[in-house]
Amino acid sequence: MSGSRSTAFGRPREFDIDEALERAMQVFWARGYDGTSLTDLTGAMGITKSSMYAAFGNKEQLFRKAVERYAEGPASYATRALREPTARSVAEAFLRGGVRTTTSPGCPTGCLSVQGALALTEQSRPAHDTLVDWRNDAGVRLEERFRRAIEEGDLSRDADPGRLARFIMTTAFGIAVQAANGLRADELDEIVDTALLAWPT
């Protein structure tokens, strides 16, 4: 979205909304919700506080928009993984995608969905809840995909789709934390290799 978009008063915006949101997402990704101040945001976005409020709402509303952008951009591998032809390839694509995103050059290490609001204060409760809902939704979609794999005969009838989804989600969270701790992509891929050894045959 370009700077030609007009405000409610008919004046053209003085900044690119898409670029400003990208920069806000990067700040939240690097510092988390509580660790990010309005000054951090406006400084990174190159706009004033009044412009930020006019374009995005308050900090909580901006965070929600940043999370949506993250889900549709860096974390879009999660949606693509669900389209893989087998349950095992879904699991592998999900985990390898997590490795790529959490170690991507030029981006913060770790995962916005894991690190964005771990510290729970009254102020960060809405941000925390937003991320919990997002993570839970990802787990539900994995479980549904694995359930379909059972119906299609790709997974054994004895397989537990909920348990498998929780296993993959927990491994993915661990990968994100280890990426933030400084593990390299090749080291994280070895973790994926080990996790897949436990996949039901």
Side-chain angles (χ1 to χ4, degrees):
M1 193 174 296
S2 70
S4 63
R5 177 174 172 173
S6 296
T7 66
F9 299 101
R11 295 193 310 273
R13 292 196 188 279
E14 298 175 353
F15 63 93
D16 186 310
I17 289 184
D18 192 59
E19 177 63 24
L21 182 56
E22 172 69 20
R23 292 179 181 181
M25 180 195 76
Q26 293 282 339
V27 175
F28 281 128
W29 187 354
R31 304 183 184 184
Y33 185 83
D34 272 348
T36 299
S37 68
L38 290 178
T39 300
D40 294 331
L41 290 167
T42 55
M45 298 163 79
I47 61 177
T48 63
K49 289 182 182 179
S50 59
S51 293
M52 190 198 84
Y53 287 127
F56 302 105
N58 61 23
K59 179 183 174 183
E60 178 191 335
Q61 291 168 319
L62 175 57
F63 181 74
R64 289 179 183 274
K65 290 180 174 70
V67 168
E68 290 172 4
R69 183 178 183 85
Y70 183 79
E72 294 167 1
S76 59
Y77 68 85
T79 299
R80 292 194 302 273
L82 297 174
R83 298 195 289 266
E84 289 289 325
T86 67
R88 189 185 189 283
S89 61
V90 167
E92 180 167 10
F94 192 94
L95 295 176
R96 304 267 187 222
V99 171
R100 301 286 85 76
T101 295
T102 58
T103 59
S104 180
C107 292
T109 55
C111 176
L112 173 61
S113 71
V114 175
Q115 297 161 214
L118 285 180
L120 183 57
T121 64
E122 198 56 40
Q123 181 184 16
S124 66
R125 168 69 72 173
H128 174 271
D129 291 347
T130 293
L131 294 182
V132 168
D133 289 344
W134 180 28
R135 293 192 297 262
N136 287 342
D137 178 67
V140 167
R141 289 190 295 158
L142 272 178
E143 181 176 352
E144 290 172 347
R145 178 62 183 83
F146 295 154
R147 193 176 305 282
R148 194 182 91 201
I150 293 174
E151 294 169 355
E152 294 172 349
D154 174 45
L155 276 176
S156 167
R157 290 282 176 186
D158 296 332
D160 184 330
R163 182 176 180 178
L164 289 175
R166 289 189 295 275
F167 171 66
I168 295 303
M169 290 298 294
T170 302
T171 304
F173 295 154
I175 285 171
V177 172
Q178 291 285 47
N181 286 344
L183 261 65
R184 303 186 310 270
D186 61 319
E187 294 173 313
L188 297 172
D189 274 325
E190 291 174 352
I191 293 173
V192 176
D193 293 340
T194 303
L196 291 174
L197 292 176
W199 192 256
T201 57

